Amino acid sequence: MVVVVQQVIDVTAAAADGSAARRRPARVPVPPPRSLLSTVGAKLKETLFPDDPFRAVAREPAGRRRALAVLRYLLPCLEWLPSYSFAKLRSDVVSGVTIASLAVPQGISYARLAGLDPVIGLYSSFVPALVYAALGSSRELAVGSTAVISLLFASMLGPAASPAEDPALYASLAFTATFFAGAFQAALGVLRLGFLIDFLSHAAIVGFMGGAATVVALQQLRGFLGLQHFTHATDLPAVMRSVFSQSAHWLWQPFLIGVCLFVFLQITRYISKRRPKLFWISAAAPLASIIVSTLLVYLISGEKYSIQTIGSVKKGINPLSVKSLLLSSPHTWLAARTGIITGIISLAEGSAVARSFAMAKNYHVDGNKEMIAFGAMNMAGSCTSCYLTASPFSRSAVNRDAGCRTAASNAVMALAVAATLLLLTPLFRYTPQAALSAIITSAMLGVIDVRAAARLARVDRVDFCVCLATFLGVVFRSIDVGLVVAIGVLVLRVLLSVARPRTTALGKVPGSTAYRRMDQYATAQATPGVLVLRVDSPICFANASYLRERISRWIDDHEDQIRTCGGESLRCVVLDMGAVTSIDSSGTGMLEDLKRSLDKRCLQIALANPGSEIMRKLDKSKVLQIIGDEWIFLTVADASDYAHRNCKIATTLQSVLSPNEMV
């Protein structure tokens, strides 16, 4: 009995002497209350205006200077026009003429791919380019039609109106779809909803563009083989059936022309890649292919050898097409759906290209202003006989390599295309279809980014699965199905990351106060009697139940390990809240339920590093009082050390005052 009393005295004395050491660390304060209006306003500002776009306007004093700042914000061309010089003009003229030499053959080729008159492809590089020169904030983007959008138009609008049987209705549908795409893009920009485009991840874009480029390239077998009839379907099985079911109608003459031109284009591409200063060789190669093949077909009278040609191309600049818009028609919904889908794709591609070029040149591109510019140029284009335009990477890369200084290069390209429309269109009458197929196929090989897919497989296999699923959906089903697959997989991944957040056990790194993941750091050691868990996501209604069950399973596993390997009994569970950026009522309810559950098991709960919003919600829900303010800590180290010391004293007192010792 004397021994027992002495032990109690020693423990009490030790507790008294070590009171300074056991003094609780600094208290975590509850932030001052905020009104609902200020809270909602702050969140809306961070969501819609993360880049503070009106900063340049607010810095100017009220009056004329502020009005000029507003004009510069609305018309980005006013930012570079005052300082425009002859040197910049010379660079923009060179780059504008260079991309015009690429835009003319590509415009004709992509218009044929879309099932439209070739001249519409030229129209689409005139008016939209002028609009973008005034409203666009990117220096390098070169606007024009793209192969993927063209194929989407053909596959989505073709079943409603055949381009061959009713070209007028089909063209009206294309103009209407372009109008809806532009209106949708402009609305996203005005409402500052550009962040929605970010839900199309890089992996999904790589898979989608690769699949679409594969389908587009396979569609060119019609031009290579000189086939009169071909399937409108875009999936690989349908294209292969259409090709091999007409094997008796294959022609070697267009095939020979197409293959020779394709090889020529690939050689020029290889030269330009090996020697970047010779970029103009690859840029001029498509126009050179058009000129050479047109002269060849004219000289040998290609019709005698069944070589299909473009035929006559209208002369003159864009006629108005406002009256052709089908805004109240049975086909209006189809045009709207086509416009929204193609508008999203063109925005995703254009935003990625603009941001990558801007980062390389160390300047900023406002994504929402780019959306407004895209929307304005497509709405204007739909009223002037143009179909949907975007910013193809190949043309923009040529514009950058040619040394463009401002968006004026698009205006130079537009003027060069206008000159072509006024003077040179009759010369395209003998241009063979095989030449257009070779140009499209060569361009599509540059869209298929095998290196990006390989990098995804090496870095993130989940992203690679997203990329592969999107690619297979496009190739074996259809382009719109592939897009749906991409969005579905991405939404599922986001939902899983929210509903099933990661929780990990942390241990102390010897010789420091840092706590790190024990499955990553082999030297990290668990604190005796304390289990430290990190929650790596906001706590909300979607994951509250899962987190409660997962934390209970962590505790069960830890206690089983103690029973198996021995060690100090578990006394406290510390939750590292550093990665918990927000919490809702379900989350606070989960912490309250967890506190009650741990009390029944004689375990203490402690929270470490909670943010201001977390503390505010815990205080308002009274969960802070239930847990106890003394168990909220600044750092994991403070919480773990404090819990370990208190648990050690409790364990010693329990062993001292146990019935066996009292006897």
Side-chain angles (χ1 to χ4, degrees):
M1 185 64 179
V2 175
V3 175
V4 174
V5 173
Q6 185 62 46
Q7 289 179 341
V8 174
I9 293 174
D10 292 341
V11 170
T12 306
D17 294 338
S19 59
R22 293 189 297 106
R23 188 176 296 121
R24 192 195 175 283
R27 179 178 177 272
V28 179
V30 177
R34 299 175 60 185
S35 65
L36 177 62
L37 185 61
S38 62
T39 302
V40 173
K43 289 187 176 181
L44 284 178
K45 181 180 178 181
E46 287 301 316
T47 302
L48 303 180
F49 305 97
D51 52 348
D52 195 8
F54 306 117
R55 183 188 311 159
V57 176
R59 281 199 301 240
E60 298 292 343
R64 181 171 175 269
R65 294 183 61 179
R66 179 167 293 185
L68 290 176
V70 172
L71 285 177
R72 285 196 299 269
Y73 178 79
L74 297 176
L75 296 173
C77 63
L78 296 180
E79 295 182 0
W80 51 265
L81 272 177
S83 60
Y84 204 61
S85 62
F86 179 77
K88 291 182 179 180
L89 175 62
R90 182 176 56 187
S91 299
D92 288 338
V93 168
V94 171
S95 57
V97 172
T98 303
I99 58 176
S101 67
L102 186 62
V104 169
Q106 283 188 347
I108 295 173
S109 304
Y110 295 158
R112 295 291 297 180
L113 180 62
L116 296 167
D117 193 306
V119 74
I120 295 179
L122 297 178
Y123 292 160
S124 301
S125 294
F126 176 45
V127 172
L130 292 176
V131 175
Y132 185 82
L135 299 179
S137 57
S138 174
R139 304 169 190 168
E140 291 84 13
L141 285 192
V143 301
S145 54
T146 65
V148 174
I149 299 300
S150 300
L151 184 61
L152 265 174
F153 266 51
S155 63
M156 298 184 71
L157 300 178
S162 173
E165 298 175 2
D166 197 347
L169 176 59
Y170 183 80
S172 296
L173 284 175
F175 299 149
T176 307
T178 302
F179 175 81
F180 279 112
F184 177 72
Q185 292 170 335
L188 286 180
V190 171
L191 298 176
R192 309 290 298 181
L193 298 178
F195 65 91
L196 296 177
I197 303 299
D198 295 335
F199 281 96
L200 278 178
S201 69
H202 174 67
I205 293 176
V206 169
F208 179 83
M209 297 302 294
T214 302
V215 171
V216 170
L218 291 174
Q219 286 276 341
Q220 303 318 302
L221 291 174
R222 176 181 183 177
F224 278 110
L225 300 174
L227 300 176
Q228 295 286 345
H229 305 285
F230 206 72
T231 179
H232 292 291
T234 59
D235 58 288
L236 177 63
V239 172
M240 291 295 99
R241 281 195 302 267
S242 181
V243 169
F244 288 102
S245 64
Q246 303 181 70
S247 57
H249 302 285
W250 293 0
L251 300 175
W252 65 269
Q253 296 92 339
F255 182 78
L256 181 61
I257 294 175
V259 170
C260 290
L261 293 178
F262 176 76
V263 172
F264 167 70
L265 293 170
Q266 290 304 111
I267 291 174
T268 58
R269 182 188 295 271
Y270 177 77
I271 293 174
S272 297
K273 283 186 175 181
R274 292 296 300 270
R275 296 182 178 272
K277 292 184 178 180
L278 300 178
F279 68 91
W280 56 269
I281 295 179
S282 177
L287 185 59
S289 302
I290 291 289
I291 295 173
V292 171
S293 61
T294 300
L295 287 174
L296 176 64
V297 172
Y298 174 75
L299 293 175
I300 67 174
S301 299
E303 290 85 354
K304 297 180 181 179
Y305 302 98
S306 301
I307 299 177
Q308 299 179 30
T309 60
I310 294 177
S312 60
V313 180
K314 296 178 183 178
K315 190 177 181 180
I317 59 175
N318 305 35
L320 296 178
S321 57
V322 179
K323 295 182 179 179
S324 299
L325 299 179
L326 305 176
L327 301 181
S328 59
S329 164
H331 302 298
T332 300
W333 168 241
L334 173 63
R337 183 166 62 92
T338 304
I340 291 174
I341 292 176
T342 53
I344 291 174
I345 295 171
S346 64
L347 278 183
E349 181 183 10
S351 299
V353 173
R355 288 173 183 173
S356 61
F357 287 165
M359 290 178 63
K361 294 292 184 68
N362 195 27
Y363 71 94
H364 175 68
V365 169
D366 188 332
N368 290 286
K369 288 170 67 175
E370 284 294 289
M371 291 180 184
I372 295 175
F374 273 52
M377 75 181 186
N378 281 313
M379 292 175 70
S382 67
C383 299
T384 53
S385 301
C386 304
Y387 78 108
L388 187 62
T389 51
S391 54
F393 176 80
S394 58
R395 196 179 303 182
S396 300
V398 170
N399 192 32
R400 176 200 60 188
D401 296 337
C404 67
R405 302 288 293 277
T406 66
S409 59
N410 281 282
V412 175
M413 178 194 70
L415 295 177
V417 172
T420 303
L421 286 167
L422 291 171
L423 303 173
L424 304 179
T425 50
L427 302 179
F428 296 117
R429 178 179 178 183
Y430 295 99
T431 301
Q433 298 279 6
L436 303 182
S437 297
I439 292 172
I440 294 175
T441 305
S442 178
M444 290 303 97
L445 290 184
V447 176
I448 302 174
D449 199 342
V450 179
R451 290 184 178 179
R455 186 174 184 275
L456 290 173
R458 184 173 64 254
V459 175
D460 191 331
R461 294 183 180 178
V462 176
D463 269 349
F464 177 73
C465 290
V466 173
C467 175
L468 184 62
T470 306
F471 176 84
L472 295 177
V474 171
V475 172
F476 288 98
R477 293 295 298 173
S478 64
I479 291 181
D480 48 344
V481 168
L483 183 62
V484 171
V485 169
I487 295 175
V489 172
L490 291 173
V491 170
L492 179 62
R493 184 178 184 183
V494 171
L495 291 177
L496 286 177
S497 65
V498 173
R500 295 293 182 269
R502 179 178 298 173
T503 56
T504 52
L506 305 182
K508 186 177 182 180
V509 178
S512 70
T513 59
Y515 278 74
R516 295 294 183 264
R517 292 179 51 170
M518 297 181 67
D519 58 352
Q520 180 182 2
Y521 292 82
T523 58
Q525 300 174 356
T527 303
V530 180
L531 174 62
V532 182
L533 299 177
R534 178 182 176 88
V535 181
D536 288 334
S537 82
I539 303 177
C540 61
F541 66 94
N543 57 30
S545 298
Y546 167 77
L547 285 174
R548 180 171 51 248
E549 296 171 0
R550 187 66 184 93
I551 292 172
S552 298
R553 187 146 48 94
W554 273 109
I555 296 172
D556 293 338
D557 293 342
H558 189 76
E559 290 181 338
D560 290 342
Q561 183 179 3
I562 291 174
R563 283 192 291 268
T564 302
C565 303
E568 189 174 326
S569 299
L570 181 62
R571 295 288 183 177
C572 182
V573 177
V574 178
L575 297 182
D576 181 5
M577 308 288 283
V580 181
T581 56
S582 63
I583 190 170
D584 64 2
S585 58
S586 298
T588 58
M590 184 276 291
L591 291 178
E592 184 177 352
D593 293 342
L594 182 63
K595 166 64 177 173
R596 293 196 181 99
S597 175
L598 295 182
D599 285 344
K600 294 179 181 178
R601 302 174 67 165
C602 298
L603 298 176
Q604 177 63 49
I605 184 173
L607 304 182
N609 194 24
S612 60
E613 183 179 352
I614 308 301
M615 290 297 293
R616 186 181 295 112
K617 294 287 183 67
L618 293 179
D619 182 56
K620 289 184 177 181
S621 62
K622 306 302 181 182
V623 176
L624 185 61
Q625 290 79 357
I626 295 175
I627 294 177
D629 183 69
E630 69 276 9
W631 289 101
I632 311 296
F633 300 89
L634 288 173
T635 65
V636 175
D638 290 342
S640 182
D641 293 344
Y642 184 80
H644 175 61
R645 287 193 297 266
N646 281 272
C647 293
K648 186 175 182 181
I649 292 173
T651 302
T652 305
L653 287 173
Q654 184 180 12
S655 63
V656 169
L657 300 177
S658 62
N660 293 332
E661 292 289 333
M662 292 295 296
V663 175

